């Protein structure tokens, strides 16, 4: 008799963004003609840049000929892209990586979800709170998270609250943890870690033989030149950190699907009898077994981001979104809201007015201003009392949304 | 201290196709100028068909405009593709599925590797032997396979030998198993199951409350109209079977990455206390958490396969490969080889001459005729004494390879 993996049954049936979509659909069904502006889900709105479009057409034409046709690529990705990554994303920051430390993927969600397969089922996982739900849910599915309590916390997860009290910067764990998920620039709070703060985490991991899963999906949005773009800018990080990158937000690849993961060869985890096992070959084995590489077209598209034109065009789009962010930050402050982030990240984290809560404010905003945000509690217990806005709308929609919110508040 | 998932350490370090590539590279390095023809790895060689190329260009142009741009798609895939699948792959065979029973993926390897996440870690898994290595390895990584013995068999896997004695058709397990992997048309033996034989498996699964993971990646190669293309042609299969499809071999998508999985809503697995849990919402939850959908471009490309021109063009390429297969079968028989498959599948399974074995024959053929095949033992213990040839070469290369083998044998 086939038995189900009962860990799945501990997960709430709902998924944050599905819940939001449902509520928005109900609103639309009951308010015919109302135009809803979404600054909720973190999806981009601007088209792919011309360099990427050109690369996609060219790769398509190659696939139409016997000589140019590409079948299975390497599971780890094509060297043309891995080399471009090393040369553009790491060398200029003084980070020297080997090509076989780079694994091309179909976006960071897959790899941040799958990476936990490499570690023992009973390792203790620490997460910042609020947090991108995938980190916890992927651990819950294998039983590593324990049980979900009525307070919304999983019994085997160590939560590191990020709130107004600590300026949204997590404090080092008070007890030993084995694995730590960090995402900076942060989703959802939009905060960043300075080099000094990030160094504390690397040192903690080295001292405790912990591993950091570092999600750098939003690094392209960093404006302040002193903020690290990669955890490998910190000495010792190669021994303790795996880093995830995505082109989704960097170059509007949410529909194209491409990103990459760095698994340094120096990084090890222990066996119960104390041997140190490098994780790079294990991740390679995992990918070769359960993944057949990312679309050739998507990889050629990603390569184009690193050409001079590609770089310039991608930067323009990021600047466009950051212009939105600036406007939102200024306007929200002007309206008297308490807001975080938005300076080095495409996310703005807003405290909801007193006597409201995340979901209530979400609904008030939807019904009052026809604007969609993301309820902060969807990112974890410490997100209660906050909502997230994204800068990924169009300029016009963002301005219109701000105008509507201003009117609604009056 | 981060502990490693020690189940990974039980896996052999090598992966079949990586081993082959290494041996071929050594040969090439020591035989400059020798032109090697590969009929080994199951990768296609013919370009994408014009209808697919046109769809890719069109989708690329859409992505260049603000109106046409598509960001995150549904994790389950776009309805335009899911509907085309229902209408073309199932309805004509009298199979009525709901759209939310179809999950678009980035190729069958991911889903056949990931599907085991839904079942309990200690379920007993049965596999035909020889077998596509992913089925076992993905179970081994989570500990479900037990330990690998010196005979190449995993302690918790139930092997169903397919060999000359049973005409390469597996027999029903003699003891209860919980999960069964079946792949028909079969990789690597090229055999197919008749409706009657497939019915035996469905009945076994229903009686024992087992689940069948049915890999139909090669169904497009079936020539005999009485052979089922989908397990759902068998009554009761929706209650016990998940089916995997891929466009890799159907339409040359090995580099494009798209396929789909059917998880019927009637299919359940049990909890320890006897409740029946439908797997469809669990797979949906899994995909929403760890997957962000397949590239929009790849999904539009797949949609084009179902247009009248697409169907005709894809059929032409399949016919082209099956012409190779026919020629190989006839020639090998003429040479006195004992061969299986190749009639309803792109794979030919050849018994190696006595006093040789899989790897030895592989090397003899490589050094003697400069032709690459796949050693059967790479697919499991019952594959020893066999090699696999694929029909995916070009016509010219296939003919040249046969000619070389003929000369080599003299």
């Amino acid at each position: 008799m086939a038995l189900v993996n009962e860990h799945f049954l501990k997960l709430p049936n709902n998924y944050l963004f599905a819940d939001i979509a449902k509520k928005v659909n109900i609103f639309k069904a009951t308010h015919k003609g109302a135009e809803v502006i979404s600054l909720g889900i973190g999806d981009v709105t601007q088209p792919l840049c011309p360099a990427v479009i050109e690369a996609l057409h060219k790769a398509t034409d190659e696939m139409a000929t016997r000589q140019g046709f590409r079948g299975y690529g390497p599971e780890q990705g094509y060297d043309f892209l891995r080399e471009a990554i090393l040369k553009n994303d790491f060398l200029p920051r003084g980070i020297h990586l080997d090509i076989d430390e780079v694994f091309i993927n179909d976006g960071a969600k897959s790899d941040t979800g799958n990476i936990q397969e490499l570690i023992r089922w009973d390792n203790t996982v620490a997460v910042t709170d609020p947090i991108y739900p995938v980190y916890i849910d992927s651990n819950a599915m294998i039983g590593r998270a324990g049980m979900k309590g009525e307070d919304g916390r999983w019994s085997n997860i160590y939560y590191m609250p990020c709130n107004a009290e600590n300026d949204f910067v997590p404090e080092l764990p008070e007890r030993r943890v084995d694995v730590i998920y960090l995402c900076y620039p942060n989703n959802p709070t939009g905060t960043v870690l300075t080099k000094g703060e990030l160094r504390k985490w690397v040192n903690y991991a080295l001292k405790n033989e912990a591993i950091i899963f570092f999600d750098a999906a939003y690094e392209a949005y960093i404006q302040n030149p002193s903020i690290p773009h990669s955890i490998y800018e910190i000495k010792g990080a190669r021994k303790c950190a795996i880093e995830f990158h995505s082109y989704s937000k960097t170059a509007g690849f949410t529909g194209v699907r491409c990103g990459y993961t760095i698994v340094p060869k120096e990084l090890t985890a222990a066996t119960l009898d104390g041997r140190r096992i490098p994780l790079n070959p294990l991740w390679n084995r995992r990918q070769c077994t359960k993944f057949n590489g990312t679309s050739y077209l998507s990889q050629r598209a990603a390569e184009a981001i690193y050409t001079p034109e590609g770089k310039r065009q991608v930067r323009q789009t990021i600047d466009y979104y950051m212009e939105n962010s600036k406007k939102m930050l200024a306007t929200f402050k002007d309206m008297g809201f308490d807001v975080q982030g938005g300076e080095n990240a495409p996310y703005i984290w807003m405290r909801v007015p007193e006597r409201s809560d995340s979901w209530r404010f979400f609904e008030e905003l939807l019904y009052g201003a026809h604007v969609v945000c993301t309820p902060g509690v969807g990112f974890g217990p410490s997100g209660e009392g906050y909502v997230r806005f994204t800068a990924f709308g169009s300029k016009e929609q963002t301005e219109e949304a701000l105008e509507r919110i201003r009117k609604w508040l009056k």
Side-chain angles (χ1 to χ4, degrees), chain A:
Chain A
M1 181 162 72
L3 294 173
V4 70
N5 172 1
E6 295 195 30
H7 299 307
F8 268 83
L9 310 182
K10 303 173 193 164
L11 286 160
N13 265 325
N14 44 0
Y15 180 71
L16 176 60
F17 294 106
D19 282 355
I20 293 174
K22 204 167 107 189
K23 283 182 195 284
V24 172
N25 285 338
I26 291 170
F27 171 79
K28 282 181 178 167
T30 52
H31 295 74
K32 300 282 182 208
E35 265 192 58
V36 173
I37 298 178
S38 176
L39 302 177
I41 187 167
D43 198 3
V44 297
T45 52
Q46 299 306 296
L48 296 179
C49 70
V52 166
I53 293 294
E54 196 188 321
L56 282 169
H57 279 306
K58 198 177 147 212
T60 298
D61 285 334
E62 284 179 62
M63 296 292 266
T65 67
R66 225 193 240 196
Q67 291 71 35
F69 177 78
R70 305 269 190 140
Y72 289 124
E75 287 94 344
Q76 306 82 359
Y78 280 102
D79 280 357
F80 63 75
L81 180 54
R82 299 164 97 192
E83 275 162 14
I85 288 165
L86 293 183
K87 205 177 133 192
N88 292 283
D89 288 349
F90 294 98
L91 268 185
R93 304 188 202 289
I95 302 164
H96 296 260
L97 294 169
D98 285 348
I99 198 162
D100 52 356
E101 294 177 307
V102 184
F103 295 85
I104 309 299
N105 61 33
D106 69 337
K109 193 184 188 187
S110 309
D111 282 7
T112 52
N114 295 331
I115 196 72
Q116 46 77 31
E117 293 178 21
L118 300 191
I119 58 163
R120 235 178 102 94
W121 68 274
D122 55 358
N123 270 209
T124 302
V125 170
V127 297
T128 60
D129 172 31
I131 189 185
Y132 178 47
V134 167
Y135 308 148
I136 293 182
D137 288 359
S138 60
N139 279 288
M141 285 175 179
I142 195 127
R144 199 180 284 111
M147 300 296 291
K148 192 164 189 175
E150 289 194 4
D151 60 354
R153 289 183 166 82
W154 292 85
S155 57
N156 291 348
I157 299 280
Y158 184 90
Y159 291 83
M160 305 180 290
C162 298
N163 49 39
E165 278 170 46
N166 55 20
D167 227 1
F168 300 91
V169 174
E171 283 145 48
L172 291 177
E174 284 169 13
R175 64 180 179 91
R176 278 176 78 119
V177 299
D178 307 310
V179 170
I180 302 154
Y181 286 85
L182 294 178
C183 171
Y184 287 96
N186 188 254
N187 176 16
T189 67
T191 49
V192 286
L193 292 189
T194 63
K195 240 177 194 162
E197 282 152 0
L198 196 51
R199 189 174 296 120
K200 279 198 322 197
W201 287 95
V202 170
N203 290 341
Y204 173 91
L206 291 173
K207 193 174 150 206
N208 293 282
E209 298 178 69
I211 291 177
I212 297 172
F213 293 150
F214 191 79
D215 190 345
Y218 303 98
E219 59 85 16
Y221 288 83
I222 294 172
Q223 309 288 311
N224 179 337
S226 73
I227 301 294
H229 286 244
S230 163
I231 196 167
Y232 305 119
E233 294 182 44
I234 311 298
K235 209 181 144 200
R238 288 157 184 272
K239 283 198 195 323
C240 64
I242 289 175
E243 184 166 281
F244 306 93
H245 286 252
S246 167
Y247 299 113
S248 288
K249 310 303 161 65
T250 307
F253 271 36
T254 49
V256 176
R257 315 304 314 140
C258 195
Y260 64 90
T261 295
I262 304 291
V263 187
K265 286 189 262 191
E266 294 173 46
L267 178 84
T268 60
T271 58
L272 270 188
D273 62 5
R275 282 172 298 144
R276 304 295 318 183
I277 308 293
L279 293 192
N280 177 288
L282 262 56
W283 182 246
N284 187 53
R285 192 62 162 83
R286 192 265 167 216
Q287 292 299 84
C288 287
T289 301
K290 302 199 206 173
F291 183 58
N292 235 336
T294 304
S295 164
Y296 172 66
L297 302 151
S298 303
Q299 293 190 61
R300 282 292 184 202
E303 184 192 23
I305 300 168
Y306 295 109
T307 59
E309 318 80 66
K311 279 184 194 174
R312 206 182 54 243
Q313 292 162 1
V314 161
R315 178 52 48 197
Q316 272 172 5
T317 308
I318 291 173
D319 289 347
Y320 175 97
Y321 290 135
M322 288 311 282
E323 202 52 47
N324 286 344
S325 190
K326 220 164 156 181
K327 215 169 294 164
M328 288 160 79
L329 258 188
T331 312
F332 286 145
K333 279 182 183 165
D334 188 51
M335 292 172 181
F337 284 109
D338 182 0
V339 281
Q340 294 295 321
E343 288 176 2
N344 294 289
Y347 293 125
I348 289 173
W349 190 239
M350 177 195 277
R351 181 148 215 166
V352 304
E354 270 184 57
R355 277 172 302 158
S356 190
D357 64 35
S358 289
W359 276 111
R360 188 167 149 194
F361 185 79
F362 163 87
E363 295 215 333
E364 286 169 353
L365 189 71
L366 174 61
Y367 282 79
H370 307 179
V371 171
V372 178
C373 61
T374 308
V377 69
F379 298 101
S382 295
E384 182 53 282
Y386 291 87
V387 293
R388 186 191 75 174
F389 287 90
T390 87
F392 294 127
S394 70
K395 179 172 177 285
E396 298 75 16
Q397 284 197 312
T398 305
E399 283 172 355
E400 164 76 15
L402 292 174
E403 194 47 40
R404 287 192 197 168
I405 296 172
R406 192 186 291 279
K407 277 191 194 143
W408 166 61
L409 286 176
K410 278 187 183 162

